[in-house]
Amino acid sequence: MELLKLLSTSEIVAQVINFLLLLFILRIFLWKRILKLLDERKERISSGLKSIEDSKAEIERLKAEYETQLSSIENIARERIKEAVKEGSQVVNEIKKKAQMDAEKIIEAAKIDMKHEVARAKENLKDEIIALTMKATESLIEAKFTEENDKKLIGDFLKQVDETK
Amino acid sequence: MSTELPNIVTILESKLEGTVFAHYLRLWENVIFSLIIISILSIASYFVCRKQRLVPNRLQNIFEMFVGGIDDFVCGILGAQGRKYTPFIGTLFIYIIFMNFFGLVPFMKSSTTSWSTTLALALCVFIYVQYSAIKENGIIGYIDHMMGKPRGFLAFTVAIPLLLLFLHIVGELIKPISLSLRLRSNIWGDDILLSIMAGFGLKGIPMLFFNTFLAIIAGTVQAVVFCLLSTIYFALVLAHED
């Protein structure tokens, strides 16, 4: 009972009102505002971290895509080089073939020319032989034939020689 | 002979001795100091939270640390639903700790040395706990909880649930008394010790400093204990799944 003398109803009521007043004021100015701010900051940090994670994932995806593209580009380049080499070797073969054909043609032409030259040379030689033979015959028989008869005579002789060959 | 140190109210009272005003000063001494603390806290919180910045300044940082700490403390015990009790527990803590430390300021007094003050706070806790319990469980659910949730055979033994109900009611009623007396007695003891040390004059100065240091620790611990127990009282009535 002595302890109860320490209590004062009016003070208790006043202190309850005081506390409720402080609670009301702090709820408006402190708790609501700061808790909201802390929540917003937490939200912002977590969304920031999430966006960083998303960006990282996007970078990884782009990197993988880039690497895939790079390797496909390398493959394409390799294929093209192979094709170019193949085409080049084909062209070389064609050029070689053409060159060979040209060379053969040239050789053929040269052979024909050579035949003509040989025939011409033979003709010249024949003429020279005829002339020399005539000179020799003239000097041997010292008889003079007409140039026309001589040529005919010698020509017939040479024909007979060729035919006997 | 009073063992309390003189404060501004007792000084003013002695100046106005014999008048009606002196009588009211004596009567409302603790309320006046509480009002001073309420004014300081209200003005400080208004000026700090008036312009909030995303990047806080030093004072806002202190308030944010305090609010965040209290929120973590309450939600740590009550879980996610603890957020709605954070303002109540936080206001109790800041109010009690300021009242406890106010007695260490020269010519001021700790209102918590008065049982009426601490009982008023404990009654607020008691009423809010009962209100939350009824709101969360319903009146029948709460009585069922108080009876120890009698089921099966236990429900037919009327005496045991009634005894449990009686024990729970007594337990609930004891809580504000124990809560308020613990706080009041500790702070009152600290203040009396300080006033005795102050009475020794210059010789008592080292002990006065030592006791001031102890009073700071005791004031903090008592505020924490009061809030911790209040939070546990909430947890006991809200955690009905156990």
Side-chain angles (χ1 to χ4, degrees):
Chain A
M1 283 302 119
E2 275 294 311
L3 202 61
L4 288 177
K5 285 180 186 170
L6 292 170
L7 292 174
S8 153
T9 316
S10 54
E11 196 181 324
I12 291 170
V13 174
Q15 290 291 25
V16 168
I17 293 167
N18 274 355
F19 175 69
L20 294 178
L21 177 73
L22 181 67
L23 181 62
F24 175 74
I25 293 168
L26 292 191
R27 190 185 269 271
I28 293 169
F29 293 128
L30 184 73
W31 299 106
K32 269 189 183 177
R33 290 184 184 184
I34 292 190
L35 284 174
K36 192 180 163 195
L37 184 78
L38 290 177
D39 285 345
E40 278 174 4
R41 193 178 292 151
K42 203 185 278 180
E43 184 65 34
R44 191 175 286 218
I45 289 168
S46 65
S47 68
L49 287 173
K50 196 178 171 296
S51 74
I52 288 169
E53 287 300 316
D54 289 349
S55 302
K56 269 186 186 174
E58 180 69 14
I59 287 166
E60 285 298 318
R61 193 185 63 75
L62 287 173
K63 198 180 164 188
E65 203 174 289
Y66 168 75
E67 277 171 4
T68 314
Q69 279 182 357
L70 201 68
S71 67
S72 72
I73 287 167
E74 276 175 7
N75 285 339
I76 290 167
R78 213 173 290 137
E79 284 297 316
R80 284 196 181 160
I81 289 167
K82 217 183 264 179
E83 276 174 22
V85 168
K86 204 175 166 185
E87 275 176 26
S89 64
Q90 271 178 357
V91 169
V92 166
N93 285 340
E94 278 172 18
I95 290 169
K96 261 185 188 175
K97 214 180 264 178
K98 201 181 168 191
Q100 213 165 354
M101 278 165 70
D102 287 349
E104 278 171 6
K105 270 181 192 173
I106 290 165
I107 289 167
E108 274 306 310
K111 274 181 182 173
I112 290 164
D113 284 350
M114 204 171 71
K115 265 184 184 173
H116 287 148
E117 285 298 317
V118 169
R120 202 181 299 149
K122 271 183 181 175
E123 282 296 319
N124 288 341
L125 194 64
K126 209 190 279 175
D127 289 345
E128 276 178 22
I129 288 170
I130 290 168
L132 281 172
T133 311
M134 276 177 67
K135 251 182 196 176
T137 315
E138 268 179 11
S139 60
L140 279 173
I141 61 172
E142 288 179 350
K144 216 156 185 198
F145 300 100
T146 61
E147 195 177 345
E148 211 173 307
N149 289 341
D150 289 347
K151 273 184 181 176
K152 197 180 176 283
L153 196 67
I154 293 161
D156 292 340
F157 172 72
L158 285 171
K159 249 179 206 170
Q160 280 174 355
V161 171
D162 282 338
E163 280 168 2
T164 54
K165 266 183 190 174
Chain B
M1 192 189 118
S2 172
T3 49
E4 282 187 0
L5 287 169
N7 58 59
I8 49 166
V9 175
T10 53
I11 292 167
L12 202 63
E13 186 195 327
S14 64
K15 296 267 183 204
L16 302 166
E17 205 171 347
T19 62
V20 182
F21 194 59
H23 168 71
Y24 281 113
L25 279 176
R26 195 182 308 121
L27 197 66
W28 299 107
E29 184 188 16
N30 295 310
V31 178
I32 289 167
F33 285 110
S34 297
L35 281 171
I36 293 170
I37 289 166
I38 289 168
S39 310
I40 292 168
L41 290 174
S42 304
I43 291 166
S45 61
Y46 171 74
F47 280 106
V48 169
C49 302
R50 188 180 48 170
K51 276 187 182 176
Q52 288 174 327
R53 299 174 187 89
L54 200 66
V55 180
N57 58 23
R58 198 175 291 176
L59 203 61
Q60 189 185 327
N61 217 352
I62 291 167
F63 271 68
E64 281 183 11
M65 274 171 68
F66 166 73
V67 171
I70 291 285
D71 191 45
D72 288 344
F73 169 78
V74 176
C75 292
I77 296 170
L78 298 176
Q81 62 176 344
R83 169 56 71 88
K84 61 181 169 187
Y85 302 102
T86 300
F88 183 80
I89 303 289
T91 307
L92 261 182
F93 180 77
I94 199 167
Y95 190 39
I96 291 170
I97 206 163
F98 264 76
M99 284 196 286
N100 291 350
F101 290 163
F102 223 50
L104 303 174
V105 181
F107 303 111
M108 295 293 168
K109 189 196 170 190
S110 294
S111 300
T112 39
T113 54
S114 158
W115 191 23
S116 298
T117 304
T118 57
L119 187 64
L121 298 177
L123 281 174
C124 288
V125 173
F126 173 76
I127 292 165
Y128 195 26
V129 167
Q130 301 310 313
Y131 166 76
S132 302
I134 293 167
K135 196 181 170 192
E136 289 291 322
N137 306 307
I139 187 85
I140 304 292
Y142 186 44
I143 292 169
D144 181 48
H145 170 76
M146 298 273 265
M147 285 179 162
K149 294 187 176 174
R151 300 287 182 273
F153 173 72
L154 202 63
F156 291 102
T157 60
V158 181
I160 294 173
L162 283 178
L163 183 67
L164 281 172
L165 179 67
F166 172 72
L167 285 174
H168 266 114
I169 290 170
V170 172
E172 289 297 317
L173 291 173
I174 288 294
K175 278 175 187 172
I177 298 169
S178 70
L179 203 59
S180 57
L181 271 179
R182 185 188 299 110
L183 177 61
R184 181 260 171 194
S185 306
N186 276 288
I187 304 305
W188 180 78
D190 284 338
D191 275 19
I192 294 298
L193 202 60
L194 281 176
S195 64
I196 291 168
M197 291 302 150
F200 287 143
L202 286 174
K203 288 177 193 171
I205 287 175
M207 282 304 287
L208 188 69
F209 277 115
F210 180 67
N211 279 305
T212 306
F213 174 69
L214 286 183
I216 290 169
I217 294 172
T220 311
V221 169
Q222 287 310 314
V224 171
V225 166
F226 194 97
C227 293
L228 179 66
L229 288 171
S230 303
T231 315
I232 289 169
Y233 295 158
F234 279 109
L236 286 174
V237 296
L238 294 176
H240 45 269
E241 63 269 6
D242 54 337

